[in-house]
């Protein structure tokens, strides 16, 4: 009975070592495994979802790579892609914030999160994927706004919301406005919850600070990638503050599973299948819409039903079908 | 398949088959001890055995988001006849290693809190809940106490009572003490033919009431905790048949019987308006008991 | 900054030692303190609320003594007093259950709980007090039924419910029907909660097993008497099962406070004042009843409001006054 | 007394008194450092100081019913102008011993869970909630992490967002990081005149952004986390005046100013139908942020 549900590098177990390519270490090369020093060609990396084929180490991925991977290359429709970072505090530390943003944008990404509508193995959903390469995946106003819009599109399209996080926390250069994005993400998740739609989380390395202390820890089901650091305060801060000596695996996904904070540690190569499977399980069977609305009215009587009534004509209700079959008579009969 | 139901009295051949048992069980104490042995049979199906057969598409959740994950409780969501269904069950181990890992099916507060996490999800996503009860009791450990074993059981009952979705509790093995009832406050409470439901294990009662750990058989005869009696007392709404000889003789057949009962019952419950269903759930537990007036 | 909010034997601190009477130990005498061996006259005991005036030890109290104490001798109106134990299992262990009940009843109590309407320092409430002297304060059908009726009277009279527990757990001689009283008590508390009424708990020695695992651990505010054992499984069972060596204060009120399960350890002599104070704080100001009902309807729309509408004429609404001042227009406006 | 309010613009003499500050604060970095020192002044009133003055009849609750009681968070119910009011606050210590006991106002998950216990009570008994924010951040400790610091903060925010009663969050000292915001998702968020509200403490930012722990003043000037700025950014709905020289000069006067604001605001909020109030609360936090379109 295995305690950890980790699927590690089955390729290697099956003797596919040949697939792993030469094992020369090439320093500074982002295709060299920092764990076992194997080196891979770019096409090998992409084919293996940026997982080391030898030791299972999970390399960082950009948000675009995430969306390409989950959609199986079938494309995705971006949400809030026009949003860009502002500089509300005219913030300067060792470098002006605007310059940091320009430098990050120059590398091709538009922000530390990309949200998109897409299908994972044929199941429609909205995905908000973070990108550690963009200013440490920090959550500023654009991250909060894109996340909120992602949730709103999920409600409008009546599909689950999935998020993959990789973030050092709040974006300090936007000051307290960055902090407020935590609350904004909570508001968005409450709208999703009121619509009865699932929120599935994937915690990638690292998920820390304000991201972990807001939407990332509120998944209905929460997966983590192997070896991902998951923490509110990082190990270094804790050691400096409390002078505690922490174990080597402190805050890592496998240990967070032991402490009850993660439902499963899932190999990245299994993510599309696992997420599609979860969505399949959670999908409500189709129901008669009027009956469903009557049931909703009877249950809550207030804002939720009113919002539903407005939104009704445009929705497919795939996920909002009630498992109830109560009649309209319930409204007056109670 | 068919089951005996209470109080509507529906059911088919099984009602006839166990009718004699229901009428006469109280006097045959040997039968009671036999049932207790069957309820604890080491090859008896456990929640994961039923889940594998009822819901091949199943996703287990782990952890209470506060202190840990309790392997004595399994919880998750699966695809059941074309719709989502949530299950929380007490899981014993089959071999020595697994038994220790599962803590002999004795849950800690972390386990009940994992269950409550799933209940909250059921409420929000409108997913019916089935609980599978099989425990000698909640774990009597120092850390379990300090993490609030009593409060976890009480809150689990309260959350089940308040759930807005249909709920079915099935005693599949031994249901002992508050550790069992924590998962038992459902719209329908049903027992497998050889399951038991009791305020305490016979061994526990023996040590306390007879001051002699060896009087478990006497205690069992006094408690009479078998399904037929619980059905008569109104504790169980139905008795689900097991394969001849007991559920351990065929996990497949045991699962088929349970499947038939669950499918029909969940649909029945879904047809009841939520407000009525919750009122009936309240009334069901409000009226249980036996007292006289001076 | 004291960690424990215990008021211990202030009489003694004030030098009232003379009040303590002779300190000869009289074995087997329930007026001899098992902790410090002081002995008291019956009138001293009653005057000091059955607390040792020397060391603060809390002697057991019967349910009637509890009600007399809380009501300040002003009397109380019993609820469900006509209920008596039945013997649904025709249960026999070393002695028939009926004989045990008769022996317990012969000592003057009618069951292990007494529920009553009364006033504590002028504040009306319903109190359900347990009595360890009656079959170990065990919870059988009568305890469950009286507790449920107490909650229902509290709802009907629109006053808080208070319970003082002292129990070894479920009454085994009533088998699984005793177990079900745990669920029944939860149902009763949910009715109370739906009516928006407070539930205040006082944990007296001992509060264990099924009582601790049901209503006793669901107080809105929870006091414990000093030295009370509070546990689901008692220390002996734990030591036998796990072979752990437990600390001497395991499960005691002061330690349960440290572990977050108790709001305050309160000297029994302070209980009337503390409970009345809590009720004073929690009391809602009077509101216009129709307006309150409109607000309720707008909020829930369903059973709670319907029940309120039925019950409305007979209630004083002391505790149900809404802190809202929304208008009837809310009903249709939502 | 009067306060400056946002966005309705009501308020009396105080708006005039701090009007200059609100307009000019951004450029005067020395003022910012002064405000930070005032926000952290060791004689500044803490939650229990306000509670003693606003609600002589107050009952503190303790414990999260799972793991312990966190002295860095005080929570309880009191009698406020003839009605019940609940308060959750972050409590620093004044002397060395008390500071250690209160863990310097840095809450653990147990503290946030104690707060959530009180929120649940507020919801059920229809009691308005006021939070008093004053923390350098949530405690960065190994056990706090393992007990779910991140999730506790997130759930505290969610529960506040969903509360059916009026809620007011008051930053009374330093409000730093998610540890502060955990208690900040309220109908009205207000700051005392010399309070600060920031994504991180100046010292923390200094170490991370300037890679030099001694650049806290620079960091403070960059963050500009003072009340006047937060008001202009829409983070704070109002600024409550302090006694001349700072709240530490007169706890009584500071409490009187706060009293005036709270009493009026809670009554205002109670006049709003619940559904509207909750929608406004959603919208308030939904719109915060600053971004441009490409
Ligand atoms: Zn490698
Ligand atoms: Zn004594």
């Amino acid at each position: 009975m295995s305690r950890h549900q980790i699927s590690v590098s089955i390729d290697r177990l099956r003797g596919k070592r040949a697939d792993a390519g030469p094992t020369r270490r090439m320093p500074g090369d982002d295709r060299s495994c920092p764990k076992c020093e194997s080196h891979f060609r770019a096409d090998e990396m992409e084919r293996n979802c940026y997982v080391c084929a030898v030791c299972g180490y999970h390399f960082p991925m950009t948000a675009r790579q995430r969306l390409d991977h989950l959609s199986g290359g079938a494309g995705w429709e971006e949400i809030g892609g026009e949003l860009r970072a502002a500089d509300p505090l005219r913030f300067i530390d060792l470098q002006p914030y605007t310059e940091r943003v320009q430098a990050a944008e120059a590398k091709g990404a538009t922000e530390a999160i990309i949200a998109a509508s897409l299908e994972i193995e044929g199941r429609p959903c909205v995905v908000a994927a973070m990108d550690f390469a963009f200013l440490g995946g920090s959550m500023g106003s654009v991250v909060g706004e894109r996340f909120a819009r992602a949730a709103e599109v999920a409600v409008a399209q009546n599909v689950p919301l999935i998020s993959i996080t990789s973030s050092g926390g709040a974006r300090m250069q936007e000051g307290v406005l960055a902090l407020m994005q935590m609350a904004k993400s909570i508001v968005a998740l409450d709208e999703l919850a009121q619509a009865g739609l699932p929120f599935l989380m994937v915690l990638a390395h690292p998920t820390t600070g304000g991201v972990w202390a807001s939407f990332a820890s509120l998944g209905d089901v929460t997966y983590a990638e192997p070896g991902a650091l998951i923490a509110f305060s990082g190990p270094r801060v804790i050691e400096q503050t409390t002078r505690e000596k922490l174990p080597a695996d402190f805050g890592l996904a496998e240990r967070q599973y032991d402490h009850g904070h993660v439902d499963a540690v899932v190999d990245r190569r299994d993510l599309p299948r696992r997420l599609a499977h979860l969505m399949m399980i959670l999908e409500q069977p189709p129901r008669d819409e009027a009956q469903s609305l009557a049931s909703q009215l009877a249950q809550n009587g207030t804002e939720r039903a009113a919002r539903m009534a407005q939104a009704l004509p445009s929705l497919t209700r795939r996920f909002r079908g009630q498992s109830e079959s109560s009649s309209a008579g319930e409204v007056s009969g109670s | 398949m068919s089951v005996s139901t209470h109080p509507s009295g529906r059911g088919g051949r099984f009602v006839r088959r166990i009718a004699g048992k229901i009428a006469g069980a109280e006097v045959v104490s040997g039968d009671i001890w036999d049932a207790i042995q069957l309820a604890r049979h080491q090859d008896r199906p456990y929640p994961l055995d039923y889940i594998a057969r009822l819901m091949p598409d199943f996703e287990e959740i782990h952890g209470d988001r506060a202190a840990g994950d309790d392997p004595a409780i399994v919880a998750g969501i699966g695809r059941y006849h074309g719709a989502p269904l949530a299950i929380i069950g007490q899981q014993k181990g089959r071999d020595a290693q697994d038994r220790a890992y599962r803590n002999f099916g004795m849950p800690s507060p972390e386990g009940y809190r994992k269950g409550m996490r799933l209940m909250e999800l059921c409420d929000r996503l409108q997913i019916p809940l089935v609980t599978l009860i099989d425990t000698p009791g909640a774990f009597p450990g120092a850390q379990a106490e300090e993490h609030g074993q009593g409060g976890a059981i009480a809150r689990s009952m309260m959350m089940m009572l308040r759930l807005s979705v249909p709920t079915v509790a099935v005693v599949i093995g031994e249901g002992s003490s508050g550790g069992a009832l924590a998962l038992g406050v459902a719209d329908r409470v049903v027992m497998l033919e050889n399951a038991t439901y009791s305020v305490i294990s016979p061994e526990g009662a023996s040590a306390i009431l007879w001051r002699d750990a060896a009087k478990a058989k006497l205690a069992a005869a006094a408690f009479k905790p078998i399904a037929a009696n619980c059905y008569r007392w109104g504790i169980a709404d139905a008795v689900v048949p097991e394969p001849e000889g007991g559920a351990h003789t065929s996990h497949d057949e045991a699962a088929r019987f349970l499947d038939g009962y669950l499918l029909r019952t969940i649909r029945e419950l879904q047809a009841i308006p939520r407000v009525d269903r919750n009122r009936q759930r309240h009334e069901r537990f409000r009226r249980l008991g036996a007292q006289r007036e001076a």
Side-chain angles (χ1 to χ4, degrees), chain A residues 11 22 30 40 44 62 79 97 108 122 146 154 162 179 238 271 277 280 285-286 299-300 305 314 320:
Chain A
D11 280 359
D30 61 6
F40 303 95
E44 290 173 328
T62 68
I79 298 162
Y97 176 45
R146 285 189 183 175
I162 296 171
L179 185 68
I238 294 172
L271 274 181
H277 188 241
M280 182 275 284
Q299 276 177 54
N300 295 347
S314 62
R320 198 176 287 154

Side-chain angles (χ1 to χ4, degrees), chain A residues 32-38 40 51-59:
Chain A
S32 291
C33 175
K35 205 164 143 196
C36 75
E37 305 198 344
S38 304
F40 303 95
V51 174
C52 174
V54 175
C55 76
Y57 170 78
H58 282 49
F59 286 82

Side-chain angles (χ1 to χ4, degrees), chain A residues 18-249:
Chain A
D19 182 59
T23 56
R24 283 175 296 126
R25 170 134 178 87
M26 299 179 66
D29 186 329
D30 61 6
R31 289 182 274 127
S32 291
C33 175
K35 205 164 143 196
C36 75
E37 305 198 344
S38 304
H39 181 75
F40 303 95
R41 294 191 313 270
D43 65 314
E44 290 173 328
M45 286 288 281
E46 190 181 345
R47 189 152 38 86
N48 211 36
C49 313
Y50 305 89
V51 174
C52 174
V54 175
C55 76
Y57 170 78
H58 282 49
F59 286 82
M61 276 176 96
T62 68
R64 288 173 189 283
Q65 286 167 342
R66 291 277 182 191
L67 296 169
D68 288 342
H69 174 221
L70 291 183
S71 63
W76 35 271
E77 189 177 343
E78 191 169 354
I79 298 162
E82 72 281 12
L83 300 171
R84 296 289 184 283
D87 183 17
L89 274 66
R90 282 165 276 162
F91 195 93
I92 302 175
D93 45 66
L94 296 179
Q95 190 184 0
Y97 176 45
T98 49
E99 287 180 18
R100 288 188 190 275
V101 170
Q102 281 159 14
E105 287 176 351
K107 285 189 271 177
T110 60
E111 250 293 348
I113 200 169
I114 300 183
S117 290
L118 51 80
E119 292 194 358
I120 302 177
E121 299 195 350
R123 307 217 157 250
C125 57
V126 170
V127 176
M130 299 191 76
D131 192 339
F132 195 77
F134 192 100
L135 298 181
S138 57
M139 176 160 65
S141 295
V142 175
V143 170
E145 183 65 23
R146 285 189 183 175
F147 182 86
R149 292 196 189 177
E152 286 155 3
V153 170
V155 171
Q157 299 183 340
N158 201 35
V159 297
L161 176 65
I162 296 171
S163 186
I164 304 178
T165 49
S166 180
S167 170
R171 185 169 299 169
M172 285 178 276
Q173 291 88 349
E174 294 187 18
V176 72
L177 287 169
L179 185 68
M180 292 301 141
Q181 305 312 307
M182 293 171 65
K184 183 186 281 191
S185 77
I186 299 289
V187 170
L189 286 186
D190 192 37
E191 299 289 325
L192 194 77
Q194 286 187 40
L197 293 166
F199 176 51
L200 310 181
M201 267 306 311
V202 178
L203 307 166
H205 179 78
T207 296
T208 60
V211 168
W212 175 231
S214 60
F215 67 91
S217 62
L218 294 179
D220 288 320
V221 178
T222 301
Y223 293 151
E225 289 192 345
L229 174 66
I230 303 157
F232 179 64
S233 305
R236 213 185 46 197
V237 171
I238 294 172
E239 288 188 329
Q240 283 171 357
T241 309
T242 65
R243 309 195 190 280
E244 293 175 85
K245 176 73 189 142
L246 299 177
D249 64 345

Side-chain angles (χ1 to χ4, degrees), chain B residues 167-216:
Chain B
T167 54
V168 181
V170 186
V171 187
I172 59 169
E174 63 177 328
S176 284
S177 102
L181 184 61
L183 299 180
V185 185
D187 292 316
R188 295 286 182 275
V189 180
V190 56
M191 294 174 69
L192 298 201
E193 186 177 350
N194 293 303
T196 60
Y197 204 175
S198 184
V199 66
I200 188 172
S201 69
E203 290 75 13
S206 165
I208 296 169
L209 295 181
W210 279 265
R211 293 173 201 135
D212 177 354
K215 294 285 194 294

Side-chain angles (χ1 to χ4, degrees), chain B residues 122-181:
Chain B
C122 288
D123 213 46
R124 188 155 27 81
L125 303 186
Q126 290 297 301
I127 298 174
L129 172 68
V130 169
T131 61
L132 302 177
I133 294 170
D134 187 12
T135 180
F139 183 54
Q143 186 180 284
E145 290 292 329
E146 295 183 342
H147 285 190
Q149 186 73 280
I153 291 170
R155 286 177 182 81
S156 182
M157 287 193 285
M158 184 64 96
M159 193 173 274
M160 272 195 88
L161 178 69
R162 290 176 173 166
L163 279 182
S164 65
V165 293
T167 54
V168 181
V170 186
V171 187
I172 59 169
E174 63 177 328
S176 284
S177 102
L181 184 61

